[in-house]
């Protein structure tokens, strides 16, 4: 779960704070775990929600304009297979935060655009365009990098 928090945080101190707060929330609401899904999935969602709440409260970084009218190239999963996972992870860590949040929630956590929009207090169109922008940003970084 610490890795989840680290993925959504800009530094280790923020990740540690979110990790601790996430576990406190999990312990307080353990009675709500219905055992219909995996415990890991339930706990992961709490950690992600904690990280997003922390960012909204402390950073206010996720409000961006809806840029869906712009044409961008997107990176396909097959294109990423030729790059080391460490390189991709390090690039994602440096991705602009509004793009990184949407990218991680959509690609890693499998949230829908509706769920992302609710989580980040943005429109569904903004969520879609930020995902597109994140993929375009990643493509640009991979093309410029000497791997």
């Amino acid at each position: 779960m610490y890795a989840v928090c680290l993925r959504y945080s800009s530094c280790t101190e923020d990740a540690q704070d979110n990790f601790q707060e996430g576990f406190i929330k999990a312990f307080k609401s353990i009675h709500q775990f219905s055992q219909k899904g995996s415990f890991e999935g339930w706990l992961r969602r709490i950690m992600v929600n904690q990280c997003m709440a922390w960012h909204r409260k402390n950073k206010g970084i996720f409000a961006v304009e809806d840029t869906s009218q712009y044409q961008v190239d997107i990176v396909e999963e097959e294109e990423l297979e030729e790059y080391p996972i460490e390189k991709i992870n390090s690039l994602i860590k440096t991705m602009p935060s509004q793009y990184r949040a949407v990218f991680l929630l959509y690609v890693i956590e499998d949230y829908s655009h509706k769920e992302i929009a609710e989580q980040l207090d943005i429109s569904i169109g903004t969520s879609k365009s930020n995902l597109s922008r994140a993929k375009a940003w990643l493509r640009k970084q991979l093309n410029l990098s000497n791997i």
Side-chain angles (χ1 to χ4, degrees):
M1 292 303 122
Y2 178 68
V4 171
C5 293
L6 195 56
R7 198 177 290 136
Y8 288 93
S9 303
S10 56
C11 66
T12 57
E13 291 82 11
D14 293 346
Q16 291 169 350
D17 289 346
N18 285 318
F19 180 71
Q20 180 177 350
E21 289 299 317
F23 268 108
I24 290 170
K25 287 181 180 181
F27 286 128
K28 286 182 178 179
S29 60
I30 192 76
H31 64 280
Q32 295 176 347
F33 177 61
S34 63
Q35 299 186 6
K36 291 182 181 173
S38 73
F39 180 75
E40 180 183 350
W42 179 80
L43 186 57
R44 177 189 274 292
R45 193 152 187 112
I46 289 174
M47 293 295 177
V48 170
N49 288 343
Q50 169 58 37
C51 291
M52 294 299 103
W54 186 90
H55 280 292
R56 282 192 307 272
K57 179 181 176 190
N58 295 306
K59 301 289 183 182
I61 56 173
F62 295 121
V64 295
E65 68 174 295
D66 183 351
T67 57
S68 59
Q69 71 270 17
Y70 303 116
Q71 178 66 30
V72 294
D73 294 327
I74 61 172
V75 64
E76 299 298 330
E77 288 181 35
E78 299 81 35
E79 293 175 289
L80 295 178
E81 291 175 1
E82 65 185 84
Y83 298 103
I85 191 69
E86 297 82 17
K87 178 66 175 176
I88 294 170
N89 283 335
S90 68
L91 285 173
I92 290 172
K93 196 76 173 147
T94 63
M95 185 180 284
S97 57
Q98 70 273 18
Y99 300 158
R100 185 176 74 229
V102 173
F103 182 83
L104 291 171
L105 288 170
Y106 189 85
V107 174
I108 305 297
E109 306 300 334
D110 203 28
Y111 280 37
S112 69
H113 284 293
K114 181 181 180 198
E115 291 171 314
I116 294 169
E118 291 169 0
Q119 187 70 252
L120 300 179
D121 196 27
I122 58 177
S123 71
I124 292 172
T126 300
S127 175
K128 290 178 180 179
S129 66
N130 281 352
L131 177 62
S132 180
R133 290 286 193 186
K135 289 178 178 181
W137 183 91
L138 190 55
R139 168 177 273 167
K140 181 179 178 185
Q141 298 307 309
L142 290 171
N143 287 339
L144 294 177
S145 299
N146 294 326
I147 299 177

